[in-house]
């Protein structure tokens, strides 16, 4: 038996890989390298002058107390969003998985929010909870609760977390539902015959069998909160009050686009990139061990 | 053979057809950030100009909010597809100015195109903002406004307040009375937090925001608005915030509706709010000059402008510049400016348009629209009240607002917040200075 004789042509496999590699390089590595290069430059907004300044952007960045504050905000924001959107979506998915008549309608309704752009989602929540415009904020204030996301950092954080979670639930829901439906009924029925209650069945059978999906969603959600939420934050709070909702990715946007400081913005994206790569690596290294495929 | 000739003929014909309109009309792209009624005004201006002659065609394009429009323009410039005219809000001035080569100064444009142009015809309170220290006009003023105090007259009556407050102590006192009269959630407030309490406040009291005539005379400027006067003012706001005699309404103008809905009876915001409040308020209202502290010598001084101006981008063809220059002459026309001012609520940009509006008796019927003009021309501008020009101003405003918010939320004292705002702002100015040289 000769194993290596399957592909006689040595070049062909590489040739077949070229389009894929080219796309990956052009759309992923090239921009990333650009960001790294730009983080060593000092450029004006118009790109008329640029100086190589080495690590100055990074030094300035790590000398800013606001940057550490943004890191703290990011940790709080991302853990809240990831945890809430996963648990709520799982709860909804288990309900939709039951043999209800209304299940198809329920599923469709659940998927809708995903079609909404982040900024629109933000504005939607803003219209409900803006202290003066808000349709829900006014009754809240009339009831004597001093709802004030313009000055109260906790209120502002609650607002952006709600908006970000709401936006992400649909996505998680879809995957959880698919995961749930691939669990063989016979296993659950066997458990039921053996006298296990619904909760017991969920924790000992369903949840472990769902772990590949959960792990995948965890990774996706972390990436989502780190990179995809600045539209919501910009629309709802603009990073305020007093920086309590300025996450790292929002700071990249604010410094680069609003401030025209592309060097610092690039340096921040590089830091962010490193953090997310590290997080993903940790997830794969340690969390994945608990996953049963 | 025949077919080849036919092809050639077809090619020639098609190239002629394609080329001819380009010879006839030079297109001028105009990117702007005007919404609602002001968007209609922009489109109407372009239409009228296009109908008035056949050589040029101005094409207005809405590009989103002020920062969005500016970012779109900068991105387009980097990609080599900048528009000819770009509307940039006043806080973007330093960024545009420092971009030598990216812009074509208006005074240069008018001179090159041989259009009649005398900067003295324009209101100095407005053009000072957009001119070099030598008086060379860099951008063309378009929509200018200033900050005024909007007053709910019915509320004042309800609280037994006979006169519109003129000074800050009167505002504080009246706000307490208004609170007692039922305006429990907001005695007075403002939009554009830093514009109201740092930028306009400093000019109005003739104290500097920064050195070098607030940056107008050079980018090596340093902020200095953490003086006892500003600290006292912010500390008062902090104290009044506790029981909502003053209630913070955010950094931008999303909360302006607090005035028109009747929640906040005294509200500082742009004079450009006129059209909106006129359409929605169900009570008698008026505008009054911004309040001041009577114990500050020389106060009130004069206010500074807000709004936006038109910048001409660099690297375009001479005939295109000629069209832009003709368009600016068209915009400067007295009747057109007077009408624009009276319809939009923005300030007239030429002295002649102002005089005409006054002579027509417009202000007797609409005193509200004269308030910002009275403020701007209250006194001859000083170093501290000519305007301001700081690099990265868009983001710097956010930083200043962050610090104000921290103070108003009770996390910092007024002194600590303003010190931090100055220190963080100075760091940004240094970055800007290095990149702009």
């Amino acid at each position: 038996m000769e194993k290596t004789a399957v592909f006689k042509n040595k070049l062909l496999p590489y040739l077949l890989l070229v389009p894929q590699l080219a796309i990956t390089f052009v759309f992923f590595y090239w921009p990333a390298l650009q960001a790294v290069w730009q983080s060593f430059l000092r450029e004006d907004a118009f790109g008329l002058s640029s100086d190589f300044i080495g690590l100055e952007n990074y030094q300035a960045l790590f000398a800013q107390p606001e940057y550490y504050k943004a890191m703290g905000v990011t940790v709080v924001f991302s853990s809240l969003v990831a945890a809430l959107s996963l648990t709520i979506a799982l709860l909804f998915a288990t309900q939709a998985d039951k043999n209800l008549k209304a299940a198809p309608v329920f599923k469709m309704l659940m998927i809708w929010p995903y079609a909404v752009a982040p900024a629109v989602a933000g504005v939607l929540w803003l219209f409900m909870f803006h202290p003066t415009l808000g349709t829900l904020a006014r009754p809240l204030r009339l009831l004597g609760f001093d709802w004030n996301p313009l000055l109260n950092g906790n209120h502002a954080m609650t607002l952006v977390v709600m908006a970000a979670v709401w936006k992400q639930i649909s996505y998680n829901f879809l995957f959880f539902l698919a995961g749930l439906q691939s669990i063989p009924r016979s296993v659950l029925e066997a458990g039921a015959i053996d006298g296990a209650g619904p909760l017991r069945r969920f924790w000992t059978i369903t949840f472990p069998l769902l772990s590949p999906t959960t792990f995948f969603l965890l990774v996706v959600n972390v990436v989502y909160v780190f990179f995809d939420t600045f539209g919501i934050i910009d629309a709802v709070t603009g990073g305020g009050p007093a920086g309590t909702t300025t996450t790292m990715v929002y700071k990249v946007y604010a410094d680069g686009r609003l401030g025209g400081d592309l060097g610092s913005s690039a340096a921040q994206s590089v830091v962010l990139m490193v953090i997310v790569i590290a997080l993903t690596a940790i997830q794969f290294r340690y969390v994945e061990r608990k996953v049963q495929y | 053979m025949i077919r080849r000739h036919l092809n050639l003929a077809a090619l020639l014909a098609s190239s002629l057809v394609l080329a001819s309109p380009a010879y006839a009309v030079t297109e001028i792209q105009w990117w702007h950030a005007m919404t609602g009624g002001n968007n209609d005004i922009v489109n109407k201006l372009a239409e009228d100009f296009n109908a008035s002659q056949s050589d040029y065609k101005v094409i207005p394009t809405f590009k989103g909010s002020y920062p969005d429009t500016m970012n779109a323009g900068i991105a387009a410039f980097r990609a080599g597809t900048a528009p000819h005219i770009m509307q940039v809000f006043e806080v973007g001035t330093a960024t545009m100015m420092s971009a030598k080569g990216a812009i074509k100064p208006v005074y240069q444009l008018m001179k090159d195109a041989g259009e009649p142009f005398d900067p003295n015809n324009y209101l100095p309170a407005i053009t000072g903002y957009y001119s070099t220290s030598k008086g060379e006009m860099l951008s063309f003023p378009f929509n200018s406004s200033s900050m005024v105090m909007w007053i709910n007259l019915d509320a004042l009556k309800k609280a037994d307040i006979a006169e519109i407050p003129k000074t800050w102590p009167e505002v504080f006192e009246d706000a307490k009375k208004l609170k007692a009269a039922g305006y429990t959630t907001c005695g007075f407030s403002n939009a554009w937090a830093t514009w109201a309490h740092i930028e306009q406040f400093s000019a109005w009291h003739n104290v500097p925001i920064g050195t070098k005539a607030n940056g107008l005379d050079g980018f090596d400027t340093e902020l200095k608005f953490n003086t006892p006067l500003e600290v006292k003012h912010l500390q008062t706001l902090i104290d009044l915030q506790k029981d909502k005699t003053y209630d913070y309404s955010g950094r931008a103008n999303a909360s302006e509706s607090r005035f028109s809905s009747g929640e906040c009876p005294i509200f500082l915001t742009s004079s450009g709010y006129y059209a909106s409040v006129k359409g929605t308020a169900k009570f008698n209202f008026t505008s009054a000059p911004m309040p001041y502290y009577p114990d500050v010598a020389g106060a009130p001084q004069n206010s500074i402008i807000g709004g936006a101006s038109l910048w001409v981008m660099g690297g375009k063809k001479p005939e295109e510049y000629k069209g832009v220059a003709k368009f600016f002459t068209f915009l400067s026309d007295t009747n057109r400016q007077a009408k624009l001012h009276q319809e939009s609520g923005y300030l007239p940009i030429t002295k002649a348009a102002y005089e005409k509006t006054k002579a027509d008796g417009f202000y007797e019927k609409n005193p509200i629209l004269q308030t910002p003009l009275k403020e701007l021309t209250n006194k001859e501008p000083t170093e501290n009240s000519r305007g301001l020009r700081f690099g990265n101003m868009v983001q710097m405003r956010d930083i200043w607002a962050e610090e104000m918010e921290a103070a108003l939320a009770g996390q910092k004292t007024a002194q600590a917040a303003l010190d931090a705002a100055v220190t963080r702002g100075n760091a940004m100015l240094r970055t800007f200075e290095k990149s702009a040289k």
Side-chain angles (χ1 to χ4, degrees), chain A residues 21-22 38 40 98 113 117 144 208-209 223:
Chain A
L21 286 175
Q38 194 147 39
F40 298 130
K98 288 179 180 163
L209 284 174
V223 174

Side-chain angles (χ1 to χ4, degrees), chain A residues 151 242, chain B residues 190 193-195 197-198 234 237-238 246 248 399-409 417-418 421:
Chain A
L151 275 184
Chain B
N190 58 272
T194 65
W195 196 36
H197 297 297
I198 294 176
L234 182 56
L237 294 182
I238 296 170
Y246 169 74
Y248 181 74
I399 285 178
W400 295 353
E402 261 181 30
E403 296 297 335
M404 277 181 71
E405 284 163 356
L408 289 168
L418 288 177

Side-chain angles (χ1 to χ4, degrees), chain B residues 190-236:
Chain B
N190 58 272
W192 307 112
T194 65
W195 196 36
H197 297 297
I198 294 176
E199 297 152 44
Q200 293 286 10
F201 181 86
S202 299
W204 200 228
H205 289 86
N206 196 18
V207 292
I209 305 163
T211 55
K212 294 256 163 181
N214 293 337
L216 291 177
D217 291 347
F219 290 142
D220 51 339
T221 163
E222 285 201 22
L223 302 172
K224 49 194 293 190
F225 55 79
N226 50 348
T227 62
L229 175 67
E230 279 114 339
V231 171
K232 182 182 89 173
H233 181 60
L234 182 56
Q235 191 58 52
T236 313

Side-chain angles (χ1 to χ4, degrees), chain B residues 243-279:
Chain B
D243 67 349
K244 298 204 177 277
T245 305
Y246 169 74
D247 193 36
Y248 181 74
S249 293
R251 298 173 189 183
N253 61 343
S255 298
E256 272 176 347
S257 58
R258 298 185 84 185
F259 179 77
S260 34
S261 72
E263 190 194 353
C264 297
I266 299 178
F267 201 89
L268 268 73
T269 188
S270 166
S271 58
Y273 177 45
Y274 175 65
S276 167
V277 70
K278 197 171 81 169

Side-chain angles (χ1 to χ4, degrees), chain B residues 65-255:
Chain B
S65 69
Y66 280 138
D68 286 344
T69 306
M70 191 167 158
N71 287 324
I74 291 173
F77 177 81
R78 293 181 80 124
T81 55
H84 301 86
I85 307 173
M86 190 163 104
Q87 186 190 24
V88 176
F89 59 159
E90 91 283 13
V91 292
T93 305
T95 304
M96 297 303 290
M97 232 186 105
S98 68
K100 290 185 192 75
I103 58 143
K104 173 107 176 165
V106 163
Y107 77 96
Q108 192 76 48
L109 170 96
M110 299 305 258
K111 204 167 88 185
D112 291 356
E115 282 292 312
F117 176 70
D118 182 1
N120 291 324
N121 291 343
Y122 299 84
L123 284 179
I126 298 172
T127 51
Y129 213 102
Y130 303 118
S131 302
T132 63
S133 44
K134 281 182 244 157
E136 298 159 337
M137 217 158 110
L138 296 175
S139 68
F140 187 80
F142 182 63
N143 57 319
S144 295
S145 59
S146 196
M147 178 161 264
V148 298
M149 178 167 64
W150 294 92
I151 300 281
N152 180 337
L153 291 169
D154 292 359
L156 253 53
K157 205 182 272 174
K158 199 172 152 197
D160 265 334
I161 299 166
E163 264 183 65
I164 292 169
K166 286 192 187 62
T167 65
W168 276 116
E170 283 168 23
V171 169
F172 303 149
E173 203 182 304
D174 290 351
K176 281 183 189 129
K177 285 186 198 158
L178 286 161
K179 246 196 96 202
Y183 295 90
T184 47
T185 54
C186 176
F188 73 101
S189 187
N190 58 272
W192 307 112
T194 65
W195 196 36
H197 297 297
I198 294 176
E199 297 152 44
Q200 293 286 10
F201 181 86
S202 299
W204 200 228
H205 289 86
N206 196 18
V207 292
I209 305 163
T211 55
K212 294 256 163 181
N214 293 337
L216 291 177
D217 291 347
F219 290 142
D220 51 339
T221 163
E222 285 201 22
L223 302 172
K224 49 194 293 190
F225 55 79
N226 50 348
T227 62
L229 175 67
E230 279 114 339
V231 171
K232 182 182 89 173
H233 181 60
L234 182 56
Q235 191 58 52
T236 313
L237 294 182
I238 296 170
D239 297 340
L240 295 175
Q241 172 74 52
K242 283 178 191 139
D243 67 349
K244 298 204 177 277
T245 305
Y246 169 74
D247 193 36
Y248 181 74
S249 293
R251 298 173 189 183
N253 61 343
S255 298

